[in-house]
Amino acid sequence: MMPKNILIVGASKGIGAELVSQFSTIKSMHVIALARDIESGNNWSKKVNVSAHNFDLTSLSMKEELSTILSKYSQIDYVVNNAGLLVNKAFLELTEKDIQTSYDVNVIGVMKSLQIVLPKMFTSGGHIVNISSMGGFQGTVKFSGLSTYSSSKAALVNLTEMLAEEFKDSKVKFNCLCLGAVQTEMLEKAFPGYQAPISATKMAEYIVDFTLKAFNWINGKIIPVSLSTP
Ligand SMILES: NC(=O)c1ccc[n+]([C@@H]2O[C@H](COP(=O)([O-])OP(=O)(O)OC[C@H]3O[C@@H](n4cnc5c(N)ncnc54)[C@H](OP(=O)(O)O)[C@@H]3O)[C@@H](O)[C@H]2O)c1
């Protein structure tokens, strides 16, 4: 039987590294793991069903690079767009680079990647899971300093709904998870000393299960996954 191919963008640390570990325990899956510094202590090359590649969502040639990486796969079954960049800075102090890079990683890079990946999903169908944040979910508690992060994550929420509509006649499903606080490097840098109520391992367990099953019931849905902020 052909393995099911899953692409994980943002797979070097935190929740993304946990996703690679957990998906790779499923023998029938092949994991394509991408990040700027994908090996950073991970030793993915030791796992037979993981292909790890350095990949930067902000690179001007990212579409060509992704095409090359995916050229040996005729079909992609699942995608988790997990990469994220959090800039915590007063709005008036944000530089053009802060804003541009945040949007490049959190939403524009996702759009450009999906332009390459989607054609490889139409024949067999598949599930695209976008990882957003409670900060990008309308009506939640907001945190000062996160304007570029939360607004770009809100754009990812809307993008999910738009793609589900545009591709509703295809066999590809799109859903978005808005995560609450998870104990990772990103959270520790943004809010030093804050203790999240859930680990990256535990959050990844939910995302793995959701990715493999939820598309049977839902499409175009935005789901809060949070033990913390309302
Ligand atoms: N932790 C939380 O409390 C929390 C809450 C809500 C939502 N989230 C979301 O959950 C996702 C995972 O977060 P995390 O906490 O695990 O963060 P993390 O530990 O900082 O990991 C982020 C991942 O994104 C990758 N990445 C960043 N910039 C990239 C770029 N330019 N190109 C390619 N990959 C890039 C990083 O790899 P490299 O640095 O090697 O490129 C890393 O693998 C993010 O989308 C985040 O916004 C997290």
Side-chain angles (χ1 to χ4, degrees):
M1 205 174 76
M2 288 275 284
K4 294 279 189 190
N5 293 318
I6 176 157
L7 174 68
I8 302 173
V9 186
S12 61
K13 55 193 175 196
I15 298 163
E18 281 295 333
L19 290 173
V20 179
S21 288
Q22 293 181 28
F23 276 117
S24 66
T25 63
I26 305 170
K27 292 278 175 289
S28 58
M29 298 213 72
H30 183 81
V31 183
I32 306 154
L34 310 182
R36 286 170 303 175
D37 183 14
I38 190 63
E39 278 300 342
S40 73
N42 288 311
N43 273 328
W44 298 135
S45 52
K46 290 205 172 132
K47 294 197 179 255
V48 283
N49 60 342
V50 176
S51 302
H53 304 267
N54 289 327
F55 174 72
D56 185 348
L57 282 161
T58 70
S59 158
L60 287 178
S61 53
M62 63 85 92
K63 285 179 78 172
E64 291 74 19
E65 287 161 31
L66 188 57
S67 283
T68 306
I69 291 167
L70 297 184
S71 58
K72 63 177 174 178
Y73 305 96
S74 57
Q75 155 197 334
I76 300 294
D77 301 283
Y78 306 98
V79 178
V80 182
N81 287 308
N82 172 73
L85 176 69
L86 189 156
V87 173
N88 185 359
K89 209 187 251 191
F91 179 71
L92 295 178
E93 287 166 21
L94 285 170
T95 62
E96 202 163 326
K97 189 170 174 225
D98 289 331
I99 298 168
Q100 188 64 55
T101 314
S102 299
Y103 272 75
D104 279 345
V105 175
N106 295 340
V107 61
I108 296 170
V110 175
M111 295 176 90
K112 292 185 354 187
S113 305
L114 291 181
Q115 286 180 324
I116 301 300
V117 185
L118 262 172
K120 289 185 180 279
M121 302 181 81
F122 290 140
T123 308
S124 310
H127 190 197
I128 292 170
V129 178
N130 293 328
I131 304 298
S132 181
S133 161
M134 286 300 281
F137 193 93
Q138 194 177 4
T140 55
V141 169
K142 297 294 186 280
F143 294 94
S144 184
L146 300 190
S147 57
T148 192
Y149 175 72
S150 294
S151 63
S152 57
K153 287 294 192 181
L156 183 61
V157 162
N158 192 277
L159 176 69
T160 309
E161 294 175 319
M162 291 308 303
L163 295 179
E165 172 59 27
E166 189 159 336
F167 295 100
K168 66 184 177 198
D169 296 327
S170 79
K171 289 192 266 179
V172 184
K173 309 291 180 224
F174 301 80
N175 288 298
C176 183
L177 300 177
C178 292
L179 309 188
V182 182
Q183 198 58 44
T184 65
E185 192 179 308
M186 174 188 281
L187 187 81
E188 177 57 26
K189 259 196 213 152
F191 301 103
Y194 176 82
Q195 198 56 43
I198 186 166
S199 67
T201 309
K202 271 296 193 205
M203 183 53 84
E205 281 172 20
Y206 177 84
I207 298 171
V208 168
D209 193 59
F210 183 89
T211 304
L212 298 178
K213 295 185 189 152
F215 63 92
N216 288 303
W217 295 276
I218 60 173
N219 184 31
K221 298 297 180 283
I222 312 305
I223 298 164
V225 187
S226 177
L227 287 169
S228 52
T229 50

